[in-house]
Amino acid sequence: GLNLYGLYQNADAIRRSKTACIVESEKSVMLGDTYFNDNNFAVATCGFNVSDAQISLIADLGVENIVLGFDKDFDEAECLKLPPEDPKRQGYERHCKRLYSICNKLVTQFNVYVLWDREGLLSAKDSPYDRGLATFESLWKNKVAIDGSLCLDVG
């Protein structure tokens, strides 16, 4: 939790765009290189978390916008059809609470957005980068803006 994969290589593009796309895996950062070459603004946390040290590294680059591009771990529409006591529904709700917790840490310093797949463009466990540039661009175009007043109080 003390570093970000791709930060050194993509620092110039992040500074220019004032935007960082935070992803889980190194593979997504490498796909960003394929899609955007010297304009890649992706960094990987190597997990589903963003530490205070990582936030500081990003802030030091003059970032104004953070886009969370975490893997699609659950199909929202499918999970919301399940009863609240269903373990899969509970897993989805824990996932959302964790995402809100990350947003709460970021929204006081940055404009925060989430690449949320509401169109069914991704399969389970896919990152927003995994299905090609056109899919990534569609998710980017429809990213969800996070307003601090909308974040849940997750204690």
Side-chain angles (χ1 to χ4, degrees), residues 93-111:
E93 289 175 358
R94 278 190 306 276
H95 174 84
C96 289
K97 275 187 150 182
R98 190 141 179 225
L99 184 59
Y100 284 130
S101 177
I102 293 168
C103 290
N104 278 332
K105 287 169 59 171
L106 297 168
V107 77
T108 59
Q109 297 180 60
F110 309 99
N111 300 313

Side-chain angles (χ1 to χ4, degrees), residues 34 38-40 46 51-52 62-63 70-71 81-82 102 109 112 116 118 145-146 148 155:
T34 301
D38 292 335
N39 294 314
N40 187 11
C46 304
S51 72
D52 291 339
V63 168
F70 291 127
D71 296 357
K81 291 177 188 174
L82 299 171
I102 293 168
Q109 297 180 60
V112 180
W116 195 262
R118 293 202 166 126
I146 303 298

Side-chain angles (χ1 to χ4, degrees), residues 3 6-7 9 17 19 25 28-29 55 57 79 93 109 122 142 153 155:
N3 55 34
L7 184 69
Q9 294 83 354
S17 67
T19 300
S25 74
S28 295
V29 175
I55 293 169
L57 290 170
C79 288
E93 289 175 358
Q109 297 180 60
L122 304 174
N142 295 305
D153 178 11

Side-chain angles (χ1 to χ4, degrees), residues 1-138:
L2 297 177
N3 55 34
L4 290 163
Y5 180 85
L7 184 69
Y8 175 77
Q9 294 83 354
N10 298 333
D12 289 340
I14 292 168
R15 278 189 201 97
R16 281 192 311 272
S17 67
K18 298 189 181 302
T19 300
C21 184
I22 299 175
V23 297
E24 289 183 53
S25 74
E26 300 92 333
K27 177 183 73 167
S28 295
V29 175
M30 290 186 277
L31 285 169
D33 280 341
T34 301
Y35 301 155
F36 303 112
N37 300 307
D38 292 335
N39 294 314
N40 187 11
F41 44 78
V43 293
T45 59
C46 304
F48 185 49
N49 194 28
V50 180
S51 72
D52 291 339
Q54 291 167 329
I55 293 169
S56 180
L57 290 170
I58 292 169
D60 288 346
L61 295 177
V63 168
E64 295 175 4
N65 306 299
I66 292 196
V67 181
L68 299 175
F70 291 127
D71 296 357
K72 180 178 181 175
D73 289 337
F74 295 91
D75 182 313
E76 179 181 37
E78 177 185 313
C79 288
L80 291 176
K81 291 177 188 174
L82 299 171
E85 64 276 2
D86 186 283
K88 190 170 184 176
R89 168 80 178 255
Q90 292 174 352
Y92 165 75
E93 289 175 358
R94 278 190 306 276
H95 174 84
C96 289
K97 275 187 150 182
R98 190 141 179 225
L99 184 59
Y100 284 130
S101 177
I102 293 168
C103 290
N104 278 332
K105 287 169 59 171
L106 297 168
V107 77
T108 59
Q109 297 180 60
F110 309 99
N111 300 313
V112 180
Y113 305 87
V114 177
L115 300 180
W116 195 262
D117 179 25
R118 293 202 166 126
E119 310 277 326
L121 301 173
L122 304 174
S123 297
K125 306 300 180 190
D126 278 349
S127 91
Y129 286 82
D130 285 347
R131 296 289 169 177
L133 179 58
T135 298
F136 177 83
E137 288 175 334
S138 179

